Amino acid sequence: MEGDFFYQAFIYLGAAVVAVPLAKKLGLGSVLGYLIAGVLIGPFVLGFVGEEGQDIMHFAEFGVVMMLFLVGLELQPSLLWKLRKSILGLGGMQVGITAIIISAVALMFTDLAWQTALAVGLTLALSSTAIVIQTLNEKGLMKTEGGQNAFSVLLFQDIAVIPILAFFPMLAVFELQHIDSGHHEELWLNSLPIIWRTLVMLGGIASIIFGGKYLIGPAFRLIAQTRLRELFTVAALLLVIGITLLMTQMGLSPALGTFLAGVVLAQSEYRHQLETDIEPFKGLLLGLFFIAVGASIDFKLIGSSPATIAMLVFGLILIKLIVLFVIGKVFGMRMDNNMLFSFGLAQGGEFAFVLVSFGLQNGVMDAATADPLIAAVAISMALTPLLMMVNEKFIQPNFGTKEEDDREADVVDVQNNIIIAGFGRYGSMIGRFLQANGQQATYLDIDPNNVDLLRKLGFKVFYGDASRHDLLHAAGAEDAKLLIVTVDVPEKAIEIVKTAKEHFPHLKIISRARSWSNYSDLIDAGITNIYREYLESSLRMAADALACSGFRAYQVERAVKKFKRHDERLLRELSSQKHEDGSFLRGGKRNIEELERMMLEDMENDAKDKDLGWDVGSVKEEYAKFFKAHFDTDTPSNFSKRYKGDE
Amino acid sequence: MKVLILFAHPAFHKSNVNKVMVDGLSATDSVTFHDLYQAYPDFDIDIEREQELLSQHDCVIFHYPFFWYSNPALLKEWQDLVLTHGWAFGSKGNMLKGKLFFTAITAGGPKASYTNDSFNGYTIQQLIAPLLQSAMLCKMITLPPFIVYGTHAIELPEVMKQKRIYSELLRQLAEDEFEVEAALEYEDLNDYITHKMK
């Protein structure tokens, strides 16, 4: 059993690792890569996986749930409110009109009962959230008008599934079948009267909103205080799975539930940490989902009636495309956005699989209708990335007008030029100083207490590990000018610097260094502005000691500056020599040796007097003689020639 | 009369003459000795405190070594920051009005080298014109300078003599024996005091 699991995991992961980079290289996008990988390992090509592909798909659908959670996290409630028109208007019209047209076409060209035709229409009206959002994200088009509208429609579809599921049993024309799928067992809720059911559902949604707002924050704070990073990940997963369970129990879409939770948490300080924690799981599961879709395409069926399937796919895509395009036009979308919107959503979705199997169980359709439908939906999903590419490469350049870049400004929230990684004793000083001088900064910190404090004061602060490029990205590193690294752990500072250098080469980085070796590592990482944390205060203390022993304040001031420069230069020298003899500054003995060298250099340095300009010694030596010779009388001298430098 | 000495010497630890000249100056009640380079080694001048000090005194002395025919950098910074418009000068800036002002200078060359046809090309009175005019703008009464000449080759007896003159000058100011009208007749305050002491 266990060996079986590992074998399967190996096949799936291996296929992904081989196919996805190839697809990416060919410019096909990761979704198509996964789909192709699925087809390849599926029963009809290599045959590595068989019928269990279906089960994997059900499991991997959880990736869609996670994706919607992440989408929700990106959406402030205010933005969602702004989208209400396009969600209801665009989404409602798309689902309604597409369902009616597809049903009408089905009635015209087949001998299906009207109930079945209607069910088919409703089923095919839905698009694939997973493929569309993943592809839009990958292309960076999510925040364009077309992307936002596509998202609105998908959101409406997610909501619409619930009434459609409730409506299906009323369309039954066949004998009820009892397929033991294990996924859609009777819910206890269904035995309740409809009003109670509605109340329970509303209660469930309310509890997610309430919990997200008031319970999750403190809970995560407690978890974060344990400083066990993995515990946070565990909690994040627990949250998503918990909501999924709750929603399933109530017969609601888990994707919708997690989406709501995401929106509620979008304003929480843990938003970015949640994002970074859930993201890899989502990616993995979604990839698995796409592979499963690819593997489940029934080539035997397609082979037996290729013309029918081709017609179905073509008709499905064409009808959806036209409906979407017309609605887009009605809603005043510009050409290029409308193209993206229409081509993006013109496919069947993963909900079709759910609805079809539900329809089979409830006698809405029979297998003869369902099987070609499933095949057509899977193929249309697989074609989506290709369609979007065709749109991008051939249609848009010729018919679309290019969108101006500055349109999305209102979607992005306030942007600070400065990002401070670490708000401890050290970073807080910097933050306070900048704040006092009217410079707003964005803070990243791993300590929940700091995050709390900053939030209370109204600062823009994110909880999380600043060495992760996605967190830096979320903090606006793309547009920021300066990154200040003040974290406690030297290795972390180096990591942050490296990540930032790699992903945001335009950023100027200045960093705190904890030790000589840290300093030297930072130099190696290409940082020039490095601040040793003990340098200023120890030198200040030394300076006061010098003043206490009778030195003039200004003399001390200059001595400190001189020493600092000397020290800096020396450290840089030593650091560059490190590479020549291969070892330096590591371990106690080394440090002592270096300290000895530095102290010797200090003595030499001290001999070079910087205040020569104020030293009248040599001036006296030269001019005293001269003045004595020419002016040493009580009566004014008749000396009239100017001094020429030679007596 | 209360006297404020604004002393500016960036390398006081290397000085010979001024060490003697300022020794014991802060001991008297009516004379305030304010060592600028000691107070503001980082040039971060406390403007409020400086203006407060100015308002508490009736006579202001700039005491400094003559470097490059001018005053040390911090004293210039002090002027730039402390003598603000509306406080020190301008139609509403009357806080210094009627106060006495003069400079106490130690210069390397002998007096005879500071003439228009000699080594230094100008008299010290000419060279300190910017300070005098600044004081005028602040509606102060400007007095001739107090100058210790020839410090490059000076001997201790001469320094002690100048120190006695400086002390007498400060005493007269403090005890209101100083005669402004009479002093204005002289090239420098050293001469005025020397004559009065005779």
Side-chain angles (χ1 to χ4, degrees):
Chain A
M1 182 63 211
E2 208 167 69
D4 206 37
F5 170 76
F6 283 126
Y7 171 73
Q8 286 233 345
F10 182 80
I11 294 294
Y12 277 90
L13 297 178
V17 166
V18 172
V20 174
L22 265 174
K24 271 268 194 190
K25 253 237 142 59
L26 295 171
L28 300 176
S30 68
V31 177
L32 203 54
Y34 282 120
L35 289 167
I36 293 170
V39 170
L40 286 179
I41 62 170
F44 302 98
V45 183
L46 296 175
F48 287 143
V49 294
E51 293 305 316
E52 74 273 12
Q54 287 287 341
D55 293 336
I56 300 260
M57 185 147 81
H58 285 302
F59 170 67
E61 264 171 35
F62 190 53
V64 183
V65 172
M66 285 181 160
M67 181 175 68
L68 271 157
F69 180 63
L70 293 176
V71 169
L73 279 178
E74 290 276 347
L75 262 187
Q76 304 282 339
S78 54
L79 186 63
L80 192 61
W81 184 243
K82 249 198 273 176
L83 287 178
R84 68 191 187 282
K85 257 193 207 148
S86 49
I87 294 173
L88 289 177
L90 272 175
M93 280 173 79
Q94 189 272 334
V95 173
I97 296 175
T98 312
I100 290 168
I101 292 183
I102 291 180
S103 305
V105 170
L107 274 179
M108 263 190 274
F109 293 98
T110 64
D111 49 5
L112 292 176
W114 69 267
Q115 290 97 329
T116 311
L118 184 57
V120 169
L122 284 170
T123 303
L124 295 184
L126 307 179
S127 312
S128 170
T129 309
I131 288 183
V132 178
I133 292 184
Q134 180 71 13
T135 311
L136 285 177
N137 265 333
E138 209 168 287
K139 292 181 190 291
L141 295 170
M142 203 52 202
K143 295 219 162 142
T144 62
E145 194 190 351
Q148 292 273 329
N149 283 338
F151 171 73
S152 301
V153 170
L154 290 168
L155 199 58
F156 180 86
Q157 294 179 352
D158 282 350
I159 301 167
V161 170
I162 303 155
I164 292 176
L165 279 170
F167 182 56
F168 255 40
M170 296 178 222
L171 298 174
V173 285
F174 297 96
E175 288 280 304
L176 282 194
Q177 293 181 20
H178 284 285
I179 297 168
D180 185 26
S181 76
H183 289 284
H184 301 286
E185 62 257 52
E186 259 323 88
L187 297 165
W188 62 271
L189 208 59
N190 288 352
S191 55
L192 293 175
I194 188 98
I195 295 181
W196 276 109
R197 232 189 291 175
T198 315
L199 279 180
V200 171
M201 283 179 187
L202 288 178
I205 290 170
S207 69
I208 285 177
I209 293 174
F210 177 84
K213 220 173 166 76
Y214 299 105
L215 300 181
I216 293 176
F220 274 126
R221 202 161 304 136
L222 279 176
I223 290 158
Q225 265 158 354
T226 63
R227 303 239 175 195
L228 292 167
R229 257 203 56 82
E230 64 277 11
L231 195 61
F232 200 94
T233 311
V234 169
L237 278 176
L238 180 71
L239 174 71
V240 176
I241 292 174
I243 292 169
T244 304
L245 272 179
L246 179 71
M247 295 309 266
T248 324
Q249 279 305 305
M250 292 185 304
L252 291 175
S253 148
L256 187 70
T258 47
F259 171 75
L260 263 180
V263 172
V264 175
L265 287 172
Q267 287 170 311
S268 134
E269 61 267 42
Y270 297 105
R271 162 184 161 198
H272 291 289
Q273 192 60 36
L274 284 169
E275 252 174 22
T276 40
D277 278 347
I278 296 288
E279 181 80 42
F281 293 100
K282 176 215 93 178
L284 197 64
L285 284 174
L286 218 52
L288 210 55
F289 174 72
F290 294 136
I291 293 179
V293 170
S296 72
I297 296 178
D298 189 346
F299 286 93
K300 219 189 306 167
L301 181 71
I302 298 169
S304 65
S305 51
T308 317
I309 302 288
M311 278 294 289
L312 266 176
V313 173
F314 182 73
L316 170 65
I317 292 176
L318 193 69
I319 291 172
K320 293 196 86 164
L321 194 69
I322 292 170
V323 170
L324 285 162
F325 188 79
V326 172
I327 295 173
K329 260 260 157 339
V330 171
F331 273 77
M333 277 167 77
R334 296 177 353 164
M335 196 61 169
D336 54 344
N337 275 315
N338 200 0
M339 290 283 189
L340 175 71
F341 173 72
S342 310
F343 275 90
L345 293 173
Q347 80 286 97
E350 53 274 9
F351 280 126
F353 304 132
V354 177
L355 286 175
V356 166
S357 66
F358 191 66
L360 276 172
Q361 285 172 61
N362 287 277
V364 182
M365 48 184 88
D366 58 357
T369 316
D371 291 345
L373 225 52
I374 294 273
V377 166
I379 293 171
S380 75
M381 281 166 79
L383 286 178
T384 302
L386 276 176
L387 269 178
M388 288 176 89
M389 216 165 65
V390 167
N391 170 48
E392 198 175 290
K393 292 249 154 71
F394 303 107
I395 300 175
Q396 198 125 272
N398 296 322
F399 300 101
T401 41
K402 265 284 150 224
E403 195 179 13
E404 289 143 38
D405 285 338
D406 53 8
R407 282 189 61 101
E408 14 172 325
D410 53 341
V411 182
V412 187
D413 47 354
V414 204
Q415 187 59 55
N416 292 327
N417 281 333
I418 303 174
I419 300 172
I420 302 182
F423 194 79
R425 283 176 304 174
Y426 196 97
S428 61
M429 209 51 135
I430 297 167
R432 280 173 53 205
F433 179 75
L434 291 176
Q435 180 74 16
N437 287 282
Q439 284 295 303
Q440 294 288 345
T442 300
Y443 299 92
L444 306 173
D445 200 290
I446 198 82
D447 182 339
N449 296 323
N450 287 340
V451 173
D452 256 10
L453 171 76
L454 283 168
R455 261 186 88 75
K456 237 175 261 160
L457 295 174
F459 289 94
K460 200 173 162 193
V461 59
F462 298 128
Y463 169 81
D465 180 349
S467 65
R468 304 179 73 145
H469 94 271
D470 36 6
L471 185 63
L472 280 172
H473 176 84
E478 213 77 69
D479 305 301
K481 294 193 172 67
L482 178 65
L483 171 66
I484 304 177
V485 182
T486 71
V487 293
D488 272 332
V489 186
E491 292 76 24
K492 203 35 99 183
I494 302 284
E495 265 179 59
I496 296 172
V497 164
K498 284 188 175 152
T499 310
K501 280 242 161 199
E502 185 185 342
H503 294 276
F504 311 101
H506 70 283
L507 263 185
K508 181 175 172 61
I509 307 170
I510 65 179
S511 178
R512 161 198 190 183
R514 293 211 66 161
S515 60
W516 286 352
S517 63
N518 191 203
Y519 183 94
S520 147
D521 288 344
L522 284 164
I523 287 185
D524 288 351
I527 306 298
T528 41
N529 295 61
I530 309 166
Y531 306 84
R532 276 173 293 151
E533 56 177 21
Y534 51 79
L535 184 68
E536 293 292 336
S537 59
S538 58
L539 264 184
R540 206 62 255 166
M541 198 165 164
D544 285 351
L546 203 59
C548 284
S549 34
F551 278 72
R552 298 266 303 164
Y554 190 55
Q555 193 185 358
V556 172
E557 179 84 10
R558 287 173 61 80
V560 165
K561 283 180 180 152
K562 176 184 165 197
F563 186 85
K564 219 158 77 180
R565 264 197 302 276
H566 155 75
D567 185 59
E568 203 95 328
R569 183 181 52 72
L570 203 59
L571 208 55
R572 265 165 213 277
E573 252 171 44
L574 290 175
S575 187
S576 67
Q577 280 169 18
K578 169 183 79 167
H579 299 292
E580 283 156 29
D581 60 16
S583 61
F584 152 84
L585 292 180
R586 307 241 179 243
K589 187 162 175 284
R590 276 277 166 195
N591 274 348
I592 295 296
E593 278 172 31
E594 295 308 331
L595 186 61
E596 182 188 343
R597 239 182 94 182
M598 284 178 134
M599 292 183 89
L600 286 173
E601 288 254 4
D602 293 346
M603 287 182 222
E604 199 180 310
N605 173 60
D606 193 47
K608 299 173 203 147
D609 193 340
K610 232 175 69 159
D611 298 346
L612 283 178
W614 292 324
D615 204 328
V616 283
S618 62
V619 183
K620 272 185 189 165
E621 214 175 284
E622 182 178 348
Y623 290 89
K625 263 189 287 167
F626 168 74
F627 286 141
K628 265 217 151 54
H630 296 282
F631 298 97
D632 197 21
T633 50
D634 277 342
T635 53
S637 162
N638 56 1
F639 174 79
S640 61
K641 86 175 165 39
R642 294 288 177 88
Y643 181 64
K644 295 278 194 293
D646 51 351
E647 279 177 57
Chain B
M1 182 177 281
K2 296 202 77 174
V3 180
L4 174 64
I5 301 175
L6 293 171
F7 179 70
H9 198 321
F12 186 59
H13 55 292
K14 293 186 177 187
S15 138
N16 293 319
V17 178
N18 270 309
K19 272 195 191 126
V20 178
M21 294 299 292
V22 305
D23 185 39
L25 277 187
S26 43
T28 52
D29 274 350
S30 42
V31 176
T32 305
F33 179 74
H34 186 21
D35 188 344
L36 289 179
Y37 273 96
Q38 192 70 359
Y40 307 118
D42 52 0
F43 276 52
D44 185 17
I45 294 168
D46 182 346
I47 294 152
E48 272 177 38
R49 176 188 169 202
E50 291 304 309
Q51 291 184 341
E52 181 65 27
L53 265 177
L54 284 172
S55 1
Q56 286 164 3
H57 293 83
D58 313 293
C59 173
V60 179
I61 304 172
F62 282 5
H63 184 154
Y64 58 91
F66 214 44
F67 287 163
W68 285 110
Y69 306 108
S70 180
N71 47 270
L74 182 54
L75 193 55
K76 177 63 166 65
E77 185 94 343
W78 183 96
Q79 295 164 47
D80 295 349
L81 293 174
V82 178
L83 303 178
T84 50
H85 179 239
W87 189 88
F89 70 102
S91 57
K92 286 178 187 135
N94 296 316
M95 296 304 286
L96 299 177
K97 193 176 179 179
K99 294 185 194 292
L100 299 185
F101 172 82
F102 69 90
T103 61
I105 291 168
T106 53
K111 185 171 184 176
S113 71
Y114 287 98
T115 63
N116 290 344
D117 53 2
S118 182
F119 177 71
N120 286 312
Y122 299 90
T123 66
I124 285 189
Q125 285 79 356
Q126 287 168 336
L127 290 167
I128 61 169
L131 291 181
L132 297 179
Q133 178 52 32
S134 300
M136 296 288 279
L137 196 66
C138 296
K139 300 154 203 164
M140 300 175 89
I141 298 161
T142 56
L143 300 174
F146 173 87
I147 307 167
V148 180
Y149 283 109
T151 57
H152 285 339
I154 204 165
E155 306 285 344
L156 190 60
E158 174 63 13
V159 180
M160 293 313 293
K161 182 184 149 199
Q162 293 299 336
K163 161 94 177 165
R164 273 195 300 280
I165 299 174
Y166 195 40
S167 302
E168 172 60 14
L169 169 62
L170 294 174
R171 189 198 63 77
Q172 287 190 17
L173 284 164
E175 294 171 12
D176 293 327
E177 287 173 25
F178 188 82
E179 297 162 48
V180 175
E181 295 300 323
L184 286 173
E185 301 294 316
Y186 291 85
E187 242 184 11
D188 52 49
L189 292 177
N190 312 55
D191 276 358
Y192 163 73
I193 297 292
T194 314
H195 272 104
K196 273 196 89 173
M197 280 164 85
K198 273 177 188 165

